[in-house]
Amino acid sequence: MNVQEQINLLRSLEELDLILKDMVSPTYKKIGFKPTKPTLDFMKIAEKERNAIAKKIEPQLLREYEIIMKRYGGRVVVQVVNGFCGGCYSRLPSEYATRSANNIMNCPYCGRFLYWLSKR
C-alpha cells in the first residue's frame, strides 16, 4: 500500500474516532448540538467499521496513531500549510516535502502525521 493510501486510512480512522467521541461528549450538547444517544446497533456497526479500517493500516502506524490520539485527543493527521505543521504550527525542515512522496512523515516537534494537498 502506498503512502497516500495509508494517510487516507489514518484520516478515515481519525474521522470515525472523532465522531464517536463527539457523540458521547457532554460538551457537544453545551455548544448547541442535540446529540442522540447512539444505539447498540450503531455502536456495533461503528466498531466493526473502525476495526476494518484499522486492519488495513500497518501495525506500527496504528500504534503511533493510538499514541498520538491519546496524547492530543484528535488532530492526529494534519495538513502541511506553507511548510508549517497544521497541528503545532512549527516550521518543518524543507526536505520533508520531498521525502513525503515515498515516506509517511511525522512532525519532528509534535509527532503528528503530516500530509500535503498540492504541489510541494
Side-chain angles (χ1 to χ4, degrees), residues 3 9 11 17 30 40 53 69 81 88 92 98-100 106:
V3 170
L9 287 171
R11 291 178 67 195
D17 283 346
K30 286 181 183 175
L40 187 58
I53 294 171
M69 178 59 87
V81 179
C88 68
L92 299 168
T98 306
R99 292 176 45 203
S100 70
N106 295 80

Side-chain angles (χ1 to χ4, degrees), residues 7 10 20 26 30 42 46 53 59 70 74 79-80 83 86-87 91 95 97-98 110-111 114:
I7 289 292
L10 289 167
L20 294 172
K30 286 181 183 175
F42 175 81
I53 294 171
K70 186 176 179 180
Q79 182 181 356
V80 174
R91 178 174 285 287
E95 73 270 12
T98 306
C110 67
L114 302 169

Side-chain angles (χ1 to χ4, degrees), residues 3-11 77 104 113-115:
V3 170
Q4 190 58 49
E5 290 170 335
Q6 287 287 308
I7 289 292
N8 288 340
L9 287 171
L10 289 167
R11 291 178 67 195
V77 185
I104 293 178
F113 293 105
L114 302 169
Y115 69 93

